[in-house]
Short mmCIF file of all heavy atoms in Angstrom, two decimals:
data_model
loop_
_atom_site.label_atom_id
_atom_site.label_comp_id
_atom_site.label_asym_id
_atom_site.label_seq_id
_atom_site.Cartn_x
_atom_site.Cartn_y
_atom_site.Cartn_z
N ALA A 1 70.05 99.69 104.38
CA ALA A 1 70.98 98.69 103.85
C ALA A 1 72.14 98.50 104.82
O ALA A 1 72.03 98.80 106.01
CB ALA A 1 71.47 99.11 102.46
N GLY A 2 73.26 97.99 104.31
CA GLY A 2 74.37 97.62 105.17
C GLY A 2 75.08 98.76 105.84
O GLY A 2 75.89 98.53 106.74
N ASP A 3 74.79 100.00 105.44
CA ASP A 3 75.40 101.14 106.12
C ASP A 3 74.74 101.43 107.46
O ASP A 3 75.30 102.16 108.28
CB ASP A 3 75.29 102.38 105.22
CG ASP A 3 73.85 102.68 104.85
OD1 ASP A 3 73.33 102.05 103.91
OD2 ASP A 3 73.23 103.55 105.49
N ALA A 4 73.54 100.90 107.69
CA ALA A 4 72.84 101.14 108.95
C ALA A 4 73.59 100.44 110.09
O ALA A 4 73.90 99.25 109.99
CB ALA A 4 71.41 100.63 108.86
N PRO A 5 73.88 101.15 111.17
CA PRO A 5 74.66 100.56 112.25
C PRO A 5 73.84 99.60 113.10
O PRO A 5 72.61 99.61 113.07
CB PRO A 5 75.08 101.78 113.07
CG PRO A 5 73.99 102.78 112.83
CD PRO A 5 73.55 102.56 111.42
N GLY A 6 74.54 98.77 113.87
CA GLY A 6 73.86 97.83 114.75
C GLY A 6 73.23 96.70 113.98
O GLY A 6 73.77 96.24 112.96
N LEU A 7 72.08 96.26 114.41
CA LEU A 7 71.37 95.17 113.76
C LEU A 7 70.44 95.73 112.69
O LEU A 7 69.23 95.46 112.67
CB LEU A 7 70.60 94.34 114.79
CG LEU A 7 70.04 92.98 114.31
CD1 LEU A 7 71.15 92.10 113.74
CD2 LEU A 7 69.32 92.28 115.46
N GLY A 8 71.01 96.54 111.82
CA GLY A 8 70.27 97.05 110.67
C GLY A 8 68.98 97.75 111.05
O GLY A 8 68.96 98.66 111.88
N ALA A 9 67.90 97.32 110.43
CA ALA A 9 66.60 97.95 110.63
C ALA A 9 66.14 97.85 112.08
O ALA A 9 65.48 98.77 112.59
CB ALA A 9 65.56 97.32 109.70
N ASN A 10 66.49 96.77 112.77
CA ASN A 10 66.10 96.63 114.17
C ASN A 10 66.62 97.80 114.99
O ASN A 10 65.89 98.45 115.74
CB ASN A 10 66.64 95.32 114.76
CG ASN A 10 65.93 94.10 114.23
OD1 ASN A 10 65.35 94.14 113.15
ND2 ASN A 10 65.97 93.01 114.98
N SER A 11 67.91 98.06 114.86
CA SER A 11 68.54 99.13 115.64
C SER A 11 68.05 100.50 115.18
O SER A 11 67.73 101.36 116.01
CB SER A 11 70.06 99.05 115.51
OG SER A 11 70.54 97.83 116.01
N MET A 12 68.01 100.72 113.86
CA MET A 12 67.68 102.04 113.36
C MET A 12 66.22 102.40 113.59
O MET A 12 65.90 103.55 113.92
CB MET A 12 68.02 102.15 111.87
CG MET A 12 69.49 102.34 111.58
SD MET A 12 70.28 103.67 112.53
CE MET A 12 69.17 105.03 112.21
N ALA A 13 65.30 101.47 113.42
CA ALA A 13 63.89 101.76 113.65
C ALA A 13 63.65 102.18 115.09
O ALA A 13 62.90 103.12 115.38
CB ALA A 13 63.03 100.55 113.30
N ASP A 14 64.33 101.49 116.02
CA ASP A 14 64.20 101.84 117.42
C ASP A 14 64.82 103.20 117.70
O ASP A 14 64.24 104.03 118.41
CB ASP A 14 64.87 100.75 118.27
CG ASP A 14 64.59 100.91 119.75
OD1 ASP A 14 63.44 101.25 120.11
OD2 ASP A 14 65.51 100.67 120.56
N TYR A 15 66.00 103.45 117.12
CA TYR A 15 66.68 104.73 117.31
C TYR A 15 65.85 105.88 116.76
O TYR A 15 65.77 106.96 117.36
CB TYR A 15 68.04 104.67 116.63
CG TYR A 15 68.90 105.90 116.80
CD1 TYR A 15 69.72 106.06 117.91
CD2 TYR A 15 68.90 106.91 115.83
CE1 TYR A 15 70.51 107.18 118.07
CE2 TYR A 15 69.70 108.04 115.98
CZ TYR A 15 70.50 108.17 117.09
OH TYR A 15 71.28 109.29 117.24
N LEU A 16 65.22 105.66 115.62
CA LEU A 16 64.43 106.71 114.97
C LEU A 16 63.07 106.92 115.63
O LEU A 16 62.42 107.94 115.42
CB LEU A 16 64.23 106.39 113.49
CG LEU A 16 65.47 106.41 112.60
CD1 LEU A 16 65.15 105.87 111.21
CD2 LEU A 16 66.03 107.82 112.50
N GLY A 17 62.62 105.94 116.39
CA GLY A 17 61.30 106.03 117.01
C GLY A 17 60.18 105.65 116.06
O GLY A 17 59.07 106.19 116.14
N LEU A 18 60.46 104.69 115.17
CA LEU A 18 59.44 104.21 114.23
C LEU A 18 58.65 103.09 114.93
O LEU A 18 59.14 101.97 115.07
CB LEU A 18 60.09 103.70 112.95
CG LEU A 18 60.89 104.74 112.16
CD1 LEU A 18 61.61 104.09 110.99
CD2 LEU A 18 59.99 105.87 111.68
N THR A 19 57.46 103.38 115.35
CA THR A 19 56.68 102.45 116.18
C THR A 19 55.46 101.87 115.48
O THR A 19 54.74 101.07 116.07
CB THR A 19 56.22 103.15 117.47
OG1 THR A 19 55.39 104.28 117.13
CG2 THR A 19 57.42 103.63 118.28
N ARG A 20 55.24 102.26 114.21
CA ARG A 20 54.04 101.81 113.51
C ARG A 20 54.37 100.99 112.26
O ARG A 20 53.59 100.94 111.31
CB ARG A 20 53.17 103.02 113.12
CG ARG A 20 52.69 103.84 114.30
CD ARG A 20 51.79 104.99 113.86
NE ARG A 20 50.61 104.51 113.14
CZ ARG A 20 50.42 104.68 111.83
NH1 ARG A 20 51.33 105.29 111.09
NH2 ARG A 20 49.31 104.23 111.26
N LEU A 21 55.53 100.35 112.25
CA LEU A 21 55.97 99.66 111.04
C LEU A 21 55.17 98.39 110.77
O LEU A 21 54.96 97.57 111.66
CB LEU A 21 57.46 99.31 111.16
CG LEU A 21 58.43 100.49 111.24
CD1 LEU A 21 59.86 100.00 111.36
CD2 LEU A 21 58.28 101.39 110.01
N SER A 22 54.80 98.25 109.51
CA SER A 22 54.14 97.02 109.04
C SER A 22 54.92 96.37 107.90
O SER A 22 54.56 95.30 107.43
CB SER A 22 52.71 97.32 108.58
OG SER A 22 52.70 98.28 107.53
N HIS A 23 56.00 97.05 107.46
CA HIS A 23 56.82 96.50 106.39
C HIS A 23 58.25 96.99 106.55
O HIS A 23 58.49 98.18 106.79
CB HIS A 23 56.28 96.92 105.01
CG HIS A 23 56.95 96.21 103.88
ND1 HIS A 23 56.61 94.94 103.49
CD2 HIS A 23 57.96 96.59 103.06
CE1 HIS A 23 57.38 94.56 102.47
NE2 HIS A 23 58.20 95.55 102.20
N VAL A 24 59.21 96.06 106.44
CA VAL A 24 60.64 96.38 106.59
C VAL A 24 61.40 95.67 105.47
O VAL A 24 61.09 94.54 105.11
CB VAL A 24 61.17 95.92 107.96
CG1 VAL A 24 62.67 96.17 108.06
CG2 VAL A 24 60.44 96.63 109.08
N ASP A 25 62.44 96.35 104.94
CA ASP A 25 63.25 95.77 103.87
C ASP A 25 64.69 96.21 104.07
O ASP A 25 64.97 97.41 104.16
CB ASP A 25 62.74 96.24 102.50
CG ASP A 25 63.38 95.53 101.32
OD1 ASP A 25 64.58 95.24 101.38
OD2 ASP A 25 62.67 95.31 100.32
N THR A 26 65.61 95.24 104.17
CA THR A 26 67.03 95.55 104.36
C THR A 26 67.87 95.02 103.21
O THR A 26 69.03 94.65 103.40
CB THR A 26 67.53 94.98 105.69
OG1 THR A 26 67.32 93.56 105.70
CG2 THR A 26 66.81 95.60 106.87
N THR A 27 67.32 94.99 102.01
CA THR A 27 68.07 94.57 100.83
C THR A 27 69.38 95.37 100.73
O THR A 27 69.38 96.59 100.82
CB THR A 27 67.24 94.80 99.56
OG1 THR A 27 66.06 94.02 99.62
CG2 THR A 27 68.03 94.45 98.31
N ASP A 28 70.48 94.66 100.52
CA ASP A 28 71.78 95.33 100.40
C ASP A 28 72.50 94.83 99.16
O ASP A 28 72.94 93.69 99.09
CB ASP A 28 72.64 95.09 101.63
CG ASP A 28 73.88 95.98 101.65
OD1 ASP A 28 74.00 96.85 100.77
OD2 ASP A 28 74.71 95.81 102.56
N THR A 29 72.60 95.69 98.18
CA THR A 29 73.38 95.41 96.96
C THR A 29 74.38 96.55 96.74
O THR A 29 74.61 96.98 95.61
CB THR A 29 72.46 95.27 95.74
OG1 THR A 29 71.68 96.48 95.60
CG2 THR A 29 71.53 94.08 95.88
N GLY A 30 74.96 97.05 97.84
CA GLY A 30 75.89 98.15 97.73
C GLY A 30 75.19 99.44 97.34
O GLY A 30 74.07 99.72 97.77
N GLY A 31 75.84 100.23 96.49
CA GLY A 31 75.31 101.54 96.12
C GLY A 31 74.01 101.51 95.35
O GLY A 31 73.30 102.52 95.28
N SER A 32 73.66 100.38 94.77
CA SER A 32 72.40 100.28 94.03
C SER A 32 71.22 99.96 94.93
O SER A 32 70.06 100.01 94.49
CB SER A 32 72.50 99.20 92.94
OG SER A 32 72.79 97.94 93.51
N ALA A 33 71.48 99.66 96.21
CA ALA A 33 70.42 99.18 97.10
C ALA A 33 69.28 100.18 97.25
O ALA A 33 68.11 99.79 97.33
CB ALA A 33 71.00 98.87 98.48
N TYR A 34 69.60 101.47 97.24
CA TYR A 34 68.59 102.47 97.58
C TYR A 34 67.62 102.71 96.43
O TYR A 34 66.47 103.08 96.65
CB TYR A 34 69.29 103.75 98.04
CG TYR A 34 70.39 103.38 99.00
CD1 TYR A 34 71.70 103.17 98.54
CD2 TYR A 34 70.12 103.11 100.32
CE1 TYR A 34 72.70 102.74 99.39
CE2 TYR A 34 71.11 102.68 101.19
CZ TYR A 34 72.40 102.48 100.72
OH TYR A 34 73.37 102.02 101.56
N LEU A 35 68.06 102.47 95.20
CA LEU A 35 67.13 102.49 94.07
C LEU A 35 66.23 101.26 94.13
O LEU A 35 65.04 101.35 93.83
CB LEU A 35 67.89 102.54 92.74
CG LEU A 35 68.60 103.85 92.43
CD1 LEU A 35 70.00 103.88 93.02
CD2 LEU A 35 68.66 104.10 90.93
N ILE A 36 66.81 100.13 94.53
CA ILE A 36 65.99 98.93 94.73
C ILE A 36 64.99 99.17 95.85
O ILE A 36 63.83 98.73 95.77
CB ILE A 36 66.88 97.71 95.02
CG1 ILE A 36 67.68 97.33 93.76
CG2 ILE A 36 66.07 96.53 95.52
CD1 ILE A 36 68.65 96.18 93.95
N HIS A 37 65.40 99.90 96.89
CA HIS A 37 64.47 100.21 97.97
C HIS A 37 63.27 101.02 97.47
O HIS A 37 62.14 100.78 97.89
CB HIS A 37 65.19 101.01 99.07
CG HIS A 37 66.16 100.20 99.86
ND1 HIS A 37 67.08 100.77 100.71
CD2 HIS A 37 66.39 98.86 99.92
CE1 HIS A 37 67.81 99.82 101.26
NE2 HIS A 37 67.41 98.66 100.80
N VAL A 38 63.51 101.97 96.58
CA VAL A 38 62.40 102.74 96.02
C VAL A 38 61.45 101.81 95.28
O VAL A 38 60.22 101.89 95.44
CB VAL A 38 62.90 103.85 95.09
CG1 VAL A 38 61.72 104.53 94.38
CG2 VAL A 38 63.71 104.89 95.87
N ALA A 39 62.01 100.91 94.47
CA ALA A 39 61.17 99.97 93.73
C ALA A 39 60.42 99.03 94.68
O ALA A 39 59.22 98.78 94.50
CB ALA A 39 62.03 99.15 92.76
N HIS A 40 61.11 98.53 95.70
CA HIS A 40 60.47 97.63 96.65
C HIS A 40 59.42 98.36 97.49
O HIS A 40 58.38 97.78 97.85
CB HIS A 40 61.51 96.99 97.56
CG HIS A 40 62.36 95.97 96.86
ND1 HIS A 40 63.24 95.15 97.53
CD2 HIS A 40 62.46 95.62 95.55
CE1 HIS A 40 63.84 94.35 96.67
NE2 HIS A 40 63.39 94.63 95.46
N ALA A 41 59.68 99.62 97.80
CA ALA A 41 58.68 100.41 98.52
C ALA A 41 57.43 100.58 97.66
O ALA A 41 56.29 100.46 98.16
CB ALA A 41 59.25 101.77 98.90
N ALA A 42 57.62 100.85 96.38
CA ALA A 42 56.48 100.97 95.48
C ALA A 42 55.71 99.65 95.39
O ALA A 42 54.47 99.64 95.36
CB ALA A 42 56.96 101.41 94.09
#
């Protein structure tokens, strides 16, 4: 979500070394975003 530095998922995926991604979600609704992420991941 919005706490990720740089260009969000673009920057963090590269920093983390995630090279096999087929799905990305940067929904940001403040503190509730991460529960939404669990639902969206499911």
Side-chain angles (χ1 to χ4, degrees):
D3 57 278
L7 193 56
N10 289 23
S11 298
M12 282 310 309
D14 190 39
Y15 183 86
L16 293 172
L18 299 174
T19 60
R20 299 182 59 250
L21 296 179
S22 58
H23 189 81
V24 176
D25 189 323
T26 58
T27 298
D28 190 6
T29 57
S32 60
Y34 315 93
L35 290 87
I36 291 177
H37 289 168
V38 173
H40 288 189

